[in-house]
mmCIF file of all heavy atoms in Angstrom:
data_model
loop_
_atom_site.group_PDB
_atom_site.id
_atom_site.type_symbol
_atom_site.label_atom_id
_atom_site.label_comp_id
_atom_site.label_asym_id
_atom_site.label_seq_id
_atom_site.Cartn_x
_atom_site.Cartn_y
_atom_site.Cartn_z
ATOM 1 N N ALA Z 270 10.176 -16.715 -5.142
ATOM 2 C CA ALA Z 270 11.482 -16.882 -4.570
ATOM 3 C C ALA Z 270 11.423 -17.414 -3.083
ATOM 4 O O ALA Z 270 12.211 -18.266 -2.726
ATOM 5 C CB ALA Z 270 12.260 -15.549 -4.592
ATOM 6 N N GLY Z 271 10.499 -16.770 -2.372
ATOM 7 C CA GLY Z 271 10.328 -17.277 -1.015
ATOM 8 C C GLY Z 271 9.856 -18.739 -0.902
ATOM 9 O O GLY Z 271 10.297 -19.434 -0.076
ATOM 10 N N VAL Z 272 8.941 -19.059 -1.793
ATOM 11 C CA VAL Z 272 8.443 -20.409 -1.784
ATOM 12 C C VAL Z 272 9.600 -21.362 -2.020
ATOM 13 O O VAL Z 272 9.748 -22.407 -1.363
ATOM 14 C CB VAL Z 272 7.358 -20.573 -2.866
ATOM 15 C CG1 VAL Z 272 6.997 -22.071 -2.992
ATOM 16 C CG2 VAL Z 272 6.113 -19.810 -2.438
ATOM 17 N N ALA Z 273 10.378 -21.077 -3.101
ATOM 18 C CA ALA Z 273 11.476 -21.937 -3.477
ATOM 19 C C ALA Z 273 12.529 -22.056 -2.264
ATOM 20 O O ALA Z 273 13.010 -23.166 -1.964
ATOM 21 C CB ALA Z 273 12.268 -21.372 -4.639
ATOM 22 N N ALA Z 274 12.805 -20.852 -1.630
ATOM 23 C CA ALA Z 274 13.782 -20.953 -0.517
ATOM 24 C C ALA Z 274 13.260 -21.712 0.597
ATOM 25 O O ALA Z 274 14.045 -22.572 1.293
ATOM 26 C CB ALA Z 274 14.049 -19.516 -0.051
ATOM 27 N N ALA Z 275 11.937 -21.755 0.904
ATOM 28 C CA ALA Z 275 11.395 -22.452 2.004
ATOM 29 C C ALA Z 275 11.417 -23.944 1.891
ATOM 30 O O ALA Z 275 11.251 -24.742 2.756
ATOM 31 C CB ALA Z 275 9.886 -21.948 2.278
ATOM 32 N N THR Z 276 11.425 -24.397 0.540
ATOM 33 C CA THR Z 276 11.529 -25.862 0.312
ATOM 34 C C THR Z 276 12.921 -26.365 0.403
ATOM 35 O O THR Z 276 13.190 -27.552 0.324
ATOM 36 C CB THR Z 276 10.915 -26.202 -1.128
ATOM 37 O OG1 THR Z 276 11.865 -25.605 -2.091
ATOM 38 C CG2 THR Z 276 9.583 -25.702 -1.300
ATOM 39 N N ARG Z 277 13.901 -25.453 0.553
ATOM 40 C CA ARG Z 277 15.361 -25.807 0.638
ATOM 41 C C ARG Z 277 15.935 -25.667 1.985
ATOM 42 O O ARG Z 277 16.942 -26.314 2.295
ATOM 43 C CB ARG Z 277 16.123 -25.003 -0.386
ATOM 44 C CG ARG Z 277 15.703 -25.249 -1.792
ATOM 45 C CD ARG Z 277 16.475 -24.360 -2.758
ATOM 46 N NE ARG Z 277 17.902 -24.559 -2.678
ATOM 47 C CZ ARG Z 277 18.859 -23.779 -3.286
ATOM 48 N NH1 ARG Z 277 18.458 -22.743 -3.966
ATOM 49 N NH2 ARG Z 277 20.080 -24.113 -3.117
ATOM 50 N N THR Z 278 15.449 -24.724 2.827
ATOM 51 C CA THR Z 278 16.097 -24.456 4.073
ATOM 52 C C THR Z 278 15.022 -23.920 5.043
ATOM 53 O O THR Z 278 13.904 -23.575 4.726
ATOM 54 C CB THR Z 278 17.201 -23.460 3.890
ATOM 55 O OG1 THR Z 278 17.983 -23.311 5.091
ATOM 56 C CG2 THR Z 278 16.665 -22.031 3.540
ATOM 57 N N ASP Z 279 15.495 -23.816 6.309
ATOM 58 C CA ASP Z 279 14.651 -23.261 7.417
ATOM 59 C C ASP Z 279 14.574 -21.698 7.210
ATOM 60 O O ASP Z 279 15.565 -21.027 7.150
ATOM 61 C CB ASP Z 279 15.272 -23.578 8.788
ATOM 62 C CG ASP Z 279 14.492 -22.981 9.935
ATOM 63 O OD1 ASP Z 279 13.302 -22.502 9.681
ATOM 64 O OD2 ASP Z 279 15.000 -22.914 11.020
ATOM 65 N N MET Z 280 13.295 -21.180 7.049
ATOM 66 C CA MET Z 280 13.156 -19.786 6.779
ATOM 67 C C MET Z 280 12.472 -19.050 8.022
ATOM 68 O O MET Z 280 11.845 -18.030 7.853
ATOM 69 C CB MET Z 280 12.287 -19.557 5.526
ATOM 70 C CG MET Z 280 12.994 -19.954 4.269
ATOM 71 S SD MET Z 280 14.230 -18.701 3.747
ATOM 72 C CE MET Z 280 13.220 -17.419 3.015
ATOM 73 N N THR Z 281 12.721 -19.623 9.196
ATOM 74 C CA THR Z 281 12.123 -18.953 10.416
ATOM 75 C C THR Z 281 12.673 -17.606 10.489
ATOM 76 O O THR Z 281 11.982 -16.673 10.810
ATOM 77 C CB THR Z 281 12.530 -19.772 11.611
ATOM 78 O OG1 THR Z 281 12.084 -21.153 11.499
ATOM 79 C CG2 THR Z 281 11.916 -19.207 12.850
ATOM 80 N N ASP Z 282 13.965 -17.446 10.278
ATOM 81 C CA ASP Z 282 14.632 -16.126 10.091
ATOM 82 C C ASP Z 282 14.887 -16.007 8.588
ATOM 83 O O ASP Z 282 15.829 -16.545 8.042
ATOM 84 C CB ASP Z 282 15.944 -16.037 10.849
ATOM 85 C CG ASP Z 282 16.624 -14.686 10.653
ATOM 86 O OD1 ASP Z 282 16.371 -13.955 9.700
ATOM 87 O OD2 ASP Z 282 17.457 -14.328 11.589
ATOM 88 N N ALA Z 283 13.976 -15.243 7.904
ATOM 89 C CA ALA Z 283 13.889 -15.268 6.470
ATOM 90 C C ALA Z 283 15.215 -14.707 5.825
ATOM 91 O O ALA Z 283 15.675 -15.247 4.865
ATOM 92 C CB ALA Z 283 12.690 -14.542 5.952
ATOM 93 N N VAL Z 284 15.733 -13.660 6.390
ATOM 94 C CA VAL Z 284 16.929 -13.056 5.866
ATOM 95 C C VAL Z 284 18.107 -14.029 5.959
ATOM 96 O O VAL Z 284 18.864 -14.281 5.046
ATOM 97 C CB VAL Z 284 17.217 -11.718 6.600
ATOM 98 C CG1 VAL Z 284 18.606 -11.220 6.073
ATOM 99 C CG2 VAL Z 284 16.164 -10.660 6.241
ATOM 100 N N ALA Z 285 18.282 -14.568 7.195
ATOM 101 C CA ALA Z 285 19.360 -15.461 7.428
ATOM 102 C C ALA Z 285 19.213 -16.728 6.570
ATOM 103 O O ALA Z 285 20.137 -17.278 6.022
ATOM 104 C CB ALA Z 285 19.537 -15.894 8.912
ATOM 105 N N GLY Z 286 18.001 -17.245 6.480
ATOM 106 C CA GLY Z 286 17.748 -18.423 5.673
ATOM 107 C C GLY Z 286 18.045 -18.191 4.183
ATOM 108 O O GLY Z 286 18.593 -19.111 3.573
ATOM 109 N N THR Z 287 17.696 -17.063 3.710
ATOM 110 C CA THR Z 287 17.938 -16.772 2.263
ATOM 111 C C THR Z 287 19.388 -16.624 2.076
ATOM 112 O O THR Z 287 19.974 -17.134 1.000
ATOM 113 C CB THR Z 287 17.257 -15.442 1.818
ATOM 114 O OG1 THR Z 287 15.837 -15.600 2.054
ATOM 115 C CG2 THR Z 287 17.475 -15.182 0.415
ATOM 116 N N GLU Z 288 20.132 -15.978 3.035
ATOM 117 C CA GLU Z 288 21.619 -15.776 2.906
ATOM 118 C C GLU Z 288 22.329 -17.126 2.757
ATOM 119 O O GLU Z 288 23.282 -17.263 1.967
ATOM 120 C CB GLU Z 288 22.157 -14.987 4.046
ATOM 121 C CG GLU Z 288 22.060 -13.552 3.951
ATOM 122 C CD GLU Z 288 22.872 -12.819 5.011
ATOM 123 O OE1 GLU Z 288 22.480 -12.874 6.164
ATOM 124 O OE2 GLU Z 288 23.953 -12.220 4.609
#
Side-chain angles (χ1 to χ4, degrees):
V272 171
T276 66
R277 299 177 56 189
T278 189
D279 179 14
M280 290 286 283
T281 304
D282 182 337
V284 174
T287 303
E288 276 192 289

